Amino acid sequence: MAGEQGNRLIVEHEEIVGVDFSGQGLTGLVGVGARFERCRFDGLRFQDVALGAGMELSQYVECSFDGAVLTGVAGYSRLVGCTFRDAEIRDLTAGHLELVDCVFTGRIRSTTFWGILPGSAERFASDLAFLARQGRVEPPGYRELVLRESNEFHGNDFSAADLVDTAFRFGVDLTRQRLPGGPDYLYVPNAEAALHRALSLLADRPADDVNARVERSLRRMLDREVGNGQRQLLFREADYKSRGALKPHNQLMFELLRQAAGT
């Protein structure tokens, strides 16, 4: 069923093919067990997005969001072959988002992409308890959806995107994406080895407050990033600047990481 509430498009358990929504002034998009194929959402300013609402998967195949602005929740959604040229994605909650062969330019801001969202088993148990209190049964396929081993995430082109305060965590394989380059970005292809190498280089320096802060940061990355399955890291130097400049501890951290990564 597809319908509109105000300027929100809500599609439940329906397949929409080849529809151009670009000129409809939509500010919200909600998909519940929906499938969109070759649809256009170009130029729309979505203030309220729930790409995959509810406890079902919604899919977007070869859709275009060129020039659009998206803020909200990805939910249980899968995007294949979609384009986000000159788009702005900001504050998107993307714990269960799957991305395959999508193209991004423009800006992605304050968003984390996950290989798998931690705590899925606990969430599943909580959801079952919630359903039981309401006298409802577990939706078909929900167990597999929540407890899947990983989010499929490959073939995506971020090379012309500006990734502002954006991270890839818990096992997103960055070797299977095209990433932005240039002097502001630092790609570390073997994060574990590079972090240990940086710590080794740091040990040769005299002990002081700056070196101590850098050591804490590097060890935190080993624990929180590498320890949770992230094998490659991508840094945007501007994210670490204050009033346009790097503080001494961040400057040293980038110097060590560049040296350790061989860049």
Side-chain angles (χ1 to χ4, degrees), residues 29-64:
L29 172 62
V30 179
V32 182
R35 178 183 171 90
F36 296 86
E37 185 173 345
R38 299 190 308 277
C39 292
R40 295 182 60 185
F41 303 93
D42 302 339
L44 294 172
R45 302 183 67 85
F46 289 121
Q47 303 166 10
D48 176 20
V49 161
L51 296 176
M55 298 181 178
E56 302 170 68
L57 179 68
S58 290
Q59 301 186 64
Y60 301 77
V61 179
E62 297 180 2
C63 295
S64 65

Side-chain angles (χ1 to χ4, degrees), residues 241-253:
K241 289 182 177 179
S242 176
R243 296 182 179 179
L246 288 173
K247 292 186 176 181
H249 63 282
N250 284 329
Q251 183 175 356
L252 176 58
M253 184 186 74

Side-chain angles (χ1 to χ4, degrees), residues 16-258:
I16 308 293
V17 179
V19 177
D20 187 352
F21 296 100
S22 302
Q24 298 188 20
L26 298 174
T27 59
L29 172 62
V30 179
V32 182
R35 178 183 171 90
F36 296 86
E37 185 173 345
R38 299 190 308 277
C39 292
R40 295 182 60 185
F41 303 93
D42 302 339
L44 294 172
R45 302 183 67 85
F46 289 121
Q47 303 166 10
D48 176 20
V49 161
L51 296 176
M55 298 181 178
E56 302 170 68
L57 179 68
S58 290
Q59 301 186 64
Y60 301 77
V61 179
E62 297 180 2
C63 295
S64 65
F65 296 82
D66 299 345
V69 177
L70 289 88
T71 304
V73 179
Y76 295 107
S77 57
R78 176 179 172 86
L79 281 65
V80 179
C82 296
T83 62
F84 297 81
R85 296 185 176 92
D86 297 318
E88 181 168 353
I89 298 171
R90 56 195 183 202
D91 302 308
L92 186 68
T93 303
H96 294 97
L97 171 66
E98 293 191 313
L99 286 177
V100 178
D101 297 335
C102 295
V103 177
F104 298 83
T105 69
R107 177 170 294 169
I108 304 176
R109 181 190 296 275
S110 302
T111 294
T112 298
F113 297 108
W114 300 85
I116 190 63
L117 187 67
S120 294
E122 292 81 357
R123 173 174 179 165
F124 179 63
S126 175
D127 287 345
L128 288 187
F130 170 77
L131 291 170
R133 288 194 299 271
Q134 293 195 336
R136 297 163 58 193
V137 298
E138 176 187 329
Y142 185 55
R143 181 184 302 266
E144 292 77 11
L145 192 60
V146 179
L147 300 179
R148 64 190 180 200
E149 292 185 0
S150 63
N151 297 326
E152 190 172 359
F153 204 108
H154 58 80
N156 303 296
D157 187 352
F158 298 96
S159 60
D162 189 14
L163 306 182
V164 180
D165 192 24
T166 291
F168 301 89
R169 291 192 171 137
F170 275 70
V172 175
D173 188 349
L174 297 185
T175 68
R176 303 184 71 188
Q177 329 298 327
R178 291 188 63 194
L179 302 174
D184 197 34
Y185 289 93
L186 171 59
Y187 172 59
V188 181
N190 187 334
E192 184 173 14
L195 289 169
H196 282 298
R197 172 62 176 155
L199 285 167
S200 176
L201 293 169
L202 188 65
D204 296 332
R205 300 175 60 87
D208 60 22
D209 181 63
V210 169
N211 292 335
R213 292 186 68 175
V214 173
E215 181 179 1
R216 287 196 296 271
S217 294
L218 296 174
R219 293 195 182 281
R220 188 161 53 244
M221 291 177 201
L222 274 171
D223 180 44
R224 297 182 182 179
E225 306 295 340
V226 175
N228 286 305
Q230 193 57 40
R231 301 293 177 245
Q232 311 86 25
L233 297 174
L234 180 69
F235 299 90
R236 179 180 180 268
E237 190 171 292
D239 290 340
Y240 292 80
K241 289 182 177 179
S242 176
R243 296 182 179 179
L246 288 173
K247 292 186 176 181
H249 63 282
N250 284 329
Q251 183 175 356
L252 176 58
M253 184 186 74
F254 273 94
E255 289 175 359
L256 293 173
L257 284 172
R258 284 195 171 93

